[in-house]
Amino acid sequence: MTLNMDFELEDYFKNNNTYPIFRVNRFELNTLVSKCKCPVVVMLTYDHSDTEDMIFQEFVQAAEILRQDKIPVIFACVDVTRKENMYHAIYFQYGLVPKIHIVKDEGQQHQEYKGPHHARGFADCLKKLLVFPAPINSAHDAKNLILDKKDDDIVILGVFPQFSGQYYDKFMAAARILKWEYDLCVTLDAKYIPNGDSIGSGPLVRMFVPFDDGSGRHFHTKIFNVDALVKFVRDNSTPIVYDFNVHPRLFLQRKYFNDSESDKVILYVDSDDKNASTFKSKYRAVAERYKGQGLIFMIGDLAASEALCSYFRLRTDGGPAIVAKNKKGEIHGKLYLHHHQLEPWVDDYKNGRVAKFGISQPIPIENNGPVQVVVAETFDEIVMTSKKNVLLGLYRSEFQDWSKVNSILCKVAEELKDKKDVVAIMDESVNDIRSEYHDDLKAEVSTTLFLIPIEGQIIRFGRDMNKEDIIDFVNDYRYDPHKKQKLDMDCDDFLHDATPFEVEMEMDFNE
């Protein structure tokens, strides 16, 4: 829907049965932000890929959920590939997932959305951010906000004699750091909360954690140093063993696991296996023994975790298996695991006695053609640490389009040889890509092209698969120091007439 700047927002909320997504340019967005008393949720799009289209549809569904819940919010979409939106394009043109921002107080407050990208997750996360923190004024509030929470929701509750003062201010400072990951509440009366009669009027912070024993746990602290409070919350947010589940409600469990700086150990076992309970009890005992020693543990069912098994190239019919990924992204593993081997394997891994786990084709003896062949062992050298812009074609031998794309890439390579760009190919089915690049470099159903510039993020090709469009794509996005200098100058020019919202975006990016 295009935006009529003469419309009245009061009439918009009264008369619309849906929340449309306004498609605006940079200047219309500035006007919309300055005019709105309610929050504006902005999606910045740039590559029109399948991933982007899918997320946009979830964005639309989230708008409908918020409309039904009567949460006043405006949704807008900015195409940063358009010339008039160059200011945003300078900072947000790279990447595979659209940037989403929440703007409040007529552009004075701005933050990047960092939550899940499915509709219900969008809506729940936005509601949490727009109504923050949630007050508990009755037993009914406590039931809705604490007792009836989903399986992986962690609730942080501040108990205060009044909603002001130094302790409350420090709690709110910590809450602004934690709000993406946790549900935050405040109350003036602890009697409404579970087991609250004995804790008095505060000030204190109580955590409600549903992990591990099924009945839930709670912790409390009276430390109100902001950094110490954030550390207290995060240290008590991790279960002994994470339970992998494909259901989106466990998004935060997986986020804690994926974001952890510890080495990650994952056990796969068929829930129907006669030894499944033995595996799980022994695995938990190992996890408890290594808690706080730089290892975190997850367990997944072989059938339910098919996507994760595929990520580590494990066969779901291969019986119990264990894998570990260290900080460098190196994978170690053992297939056909017996339960009595579990603890010794983890001990050996911790002590550096387990070999890396991965596959690679042999390095080609000759690799002087216009299109270079990449294998796992040469991936870093040719692609990631090359001092050239690299156009990489990822394929699988079963893809029917591979032969056609390969012939096109040969023509592209000839055309670009004077530019000193590298055109390369890699068979993903027989070569492991380093795990830190696995989400960004993936060929799912057909041959997929990526540009890896000398500087900047990986960019996926989303245009027609022909020589001309591929060359235009490389020319548009290759790293060029002269082009970067011009973009920086353009950005400086834009800042002369930028709104506070845009200036803050620029500062956030550079930080």
Side-chain angles (χ1 to χ4, degrees):
M1 177 176 179
T2 55
L3 180 63
N4 176 4
M5 284 301 166
D6 295 328
F7 81 109
E8 293 294 331
L9 289 177
E10 294 290 336
D11 294 336
Y12 165 75
F13 288 116
K14 288 179 182 177
N15 300 333
N16 277 281
N17 294 323
T18 61
Y19 282 4
I21 311 296
F22 291 114
R23 295 188 179 275
V24 296
N25 61 33
R26 172 204 172 209
F27 304 104
E28 292 169 337
L29 176 62
N30 293 341
T31 302
L32 181 63
V33 165
S34 64
K35 187 173 184 177
C36 280
K37 303 297 183 185
C38 66
V40 179
V41 181
V42 185
M43 175 183 282
L44 301 169
T45 64
Y46 37 79
D47 72 348
H48 306 291
S49 65
D50 292 342
T51 300
E52 185 173 281
D53 291 342
M54 179 184 68
I55 293 176
F56 181 80
Q57 292 306 314
E58 298 291 332
F59 195 59
V60 172
Q61 293 177 40
E64 174 59 19
I65 293 170
L66 292 176
R67 183 196 66 80
Q68 293 175 357
D69 292 344
K70 301 187 183 330
I71 304 291
V73 60
I74 295 288
F75 288 81
C77 182
V78 179
D79 183 351
V80 298
T81 63
R82 294 173 58 182
K83 185 175 180 179
E84 63 266 32
N85 301 327
M86 183 184 293
Y87 178 87
H88 297 328
I90 292 169
Y91 291 102
F92 301 104
Q93 66 177 328
Y94 295 127
L96 296 178
V97 179
K99 298 285 186 179
I100 298 172
H101 297 264
I102 302 168
V103 190
K104 296 190 288 187
D105 297 337
E106 300 177 15
Q108 298 303 312
Q109 292 190 45
H110 154 262
Q111 62 191 125
E112 183 180 348
Y113 175 82
K114 299 178 181 178
H117 286 89
H118 55 86
R120 174 52 64 181
F122 264 137
D124 289 348
C125 201
L126 288 171
K127 281 191 288 187
K128 182 168 65 176
L129 294 170
L130 299 176
V131 184
F132 162 80
I136 294 179
N137 298 318
S138 66
H140 181 264
D141 290 342
K143 182 176 184 298
N144 289 338
L145 295 171
I146 298 176
L147 296 177
D148 291 346
K149 280 296 179 182
K150 301 170 188 174
D151 291 349
D152 72 332
D153 284 336
I154 298 176
V155 179
I156 312 300
L157 172 69
V159 181
F160 301 96
Q162 58 188 9
F163 293 149
S164 61
Q166 62 171 327
Y167 295 115
Y168 179 78
D169 291 343
K170 289 182 179 179
F171 172 81
M172 291 301 295
R176 280 188 282 273
I177 298 171
L178 299 167
K179 62 186 174 182
W180 288 106
E181 305 167 59
Y182 305 90
D183 292 336
L184 292 126
C185 306
V186 290
T187 187
L188 298 176
D189 197 336
K191 72 181 181 184
Y192 297 130
I193 67 175
N195 304 311
D197 292 334
S198 61
I199 64 177
S201 60
L204 63 84
V205 175
R206 174 162 283 197
M207 287 182 64
F208 296 89
V209 181
F211 299 143
D212 292 333
D213 64 3
S215 61
R217 299 174 291 156
H218 62 263
F219 308 92
H220 70 268
T221 183
K222 294 187 177 182
I223 299 173
F224 278 88
N225 173 276
V226 175
D227 292 338
L229 184 53
V230 170
K231 184 177 186 302
F232 166 80
V233 169
R234 288 184 170 151
D235 285 350
N236 289 291
S237 296
T238 55
I240 302 298
V241 176
Y242 290 82
D243 187 7
F244 183 84
N245 189 303
V246 295
H247 196 283
R249 70 184 182 182
L250 297 182
F251 169 83
L252 284 180
Q253 273 206 42
R254 296 199 299 276
K255 183 178 185 299
Y256 299 146
F257 187 83
N258 292 334
D259 291 350
S260 172
E261 295 182 357
S262 298
D263 288 11
K264 300 166 178 64
V265 182
I266 309 174
L267 172 69
Y268 299 93
V269 61
D270 190 338
S271 57
D272 294 330
D273 189 304
K274 64 180 181 179
N275 293 315
S277 60
T278 303
F279 267 106
K280 291 177 181 179
S281 62
K282 288 192 173 186
Y283 191 59
R284 183 179 178 86
V286 172
E288 289 176 340
R289 182 159 69 86
Y290 277 105
K291 185 174 176 62
Q293 298 184 46
L295 299 179
I296 57 173
F297 295 81
M298 176 182 281
I299 190 168
D301 182 85
L302 275 170
S305 310
E306 185 174 352
L308 202 57
C309 290
S310 175
Y311 175 88
F312 288 113
R313 301 185 186 279
L314 300 175
R315 293 177 54 184
T316 56
D317 61 349
I322 190 168
V323 294
K325 185 176 80 169
N326 63 22
K327 299 177 184 66
K328 297 179 181 178
E330 297 170 339
I331 305 298
H332 303 71
K334 180 174 178 57
L335 306 179
Y336 305 104
L337 185 75
H338 193 277
H339 59 79
H340 73 264
Q341 298 172 315
L342 199 159
E343 185 171 4
W345 189 92
V346 176
D347 290 341
D348 286 345
Y349 171 76
K350 180 65 175 174
N351 292 306
R353 295 193 294 263
V354 176
K356 286 193 294 185
F357 181 74
I359 59 174
S360 174
Q361 288 178 297
I363 298 175
I365 297 174
E366 293 186 3
N367 200 11
N368 301 318
V371 177
Q372 294 194 36
V373 176
V374 178
V375 298
E377 291 188 30
T378 61
F379 177 77
D380 278 351
E381 176 187 352
I382 296 177
V383 179
M384 301 312 302
T385 61
S386 170
K387 297 302 182 183
K388 299 180 180 180
N389 301 294
V390 180
L391 178 68
L392 176 66
L394 278 185
Y395 72 98
R396 290 177 173 267
S397 54
E398 65 266 25
F399 289 168
Q400 295 182 357
D401 69 337
W402 161 238
S403 178
K404 177 182 177 182
V405 175
N406 187 38
S407 64
I408 295 174
L409 289 179
C410 290
K411 298 175 183 177
V412 170
E414 290 291 343
E415 192 83 16
L416 295 176
K417 63 182 179 181
D418 293 336
K419 300 286 187 180
K420 299 189 182 336
D421 296 322
V422 173
V423 179
I425 56 172
M426 180 171 170
D427 185 346
E428 190 187 31
S429 61
V430 289
N431 291 283
D432 282 329
I433 293 175
R434 282 174 52 186
S435 57
E436 60 262 48
Y437 303 121
H438 197 277
D439 289 338
D440 292 336
L441 291 170
K442 186 184 301 184
E444 295 177 345
V445 295
S446 62
T447 303
T448 309
L449 305 184
F450 300 88
L451 183 68
I452 300 91
I454 298 172
E455 291 187 12
Q457 297 182 24
I458 298 166
I459 311 161
R460 183 175 59 183
F461 177 75
R463 307 178 189 179
D464 291 338
M465 194 67 79
N466 59 60
K467 185 186 79 170
E468 291 73 21
D469 278 12
I470 294 172
I471 292 173
D472 287 345
F473 168 74
V474 174
N475 288 334
D476 286 344
Y477 290 106
R478 74 155 55 87
Y479 175 78
D480 183 335
H482 301 295
K483 181 179 178 181
K484 182 179 185 299
Q485 183 180 19
K486 182 180 184 302
L487 285 174
D488 290 342
M489 293 173 62
D490 289 339
C491 179
D492 291 339
D493 292 340
F494 273 120
L495 283 174
H496 287 299
D497 64 342
T499 65
F501 163 52
E502 291 179 329
V503 172
E504 186 174 347
M505 285 173 63
E506 194 269 344
M507 292 172 63
D508 287 348
F509 182 86
N510 285 317
E511 288 176 357

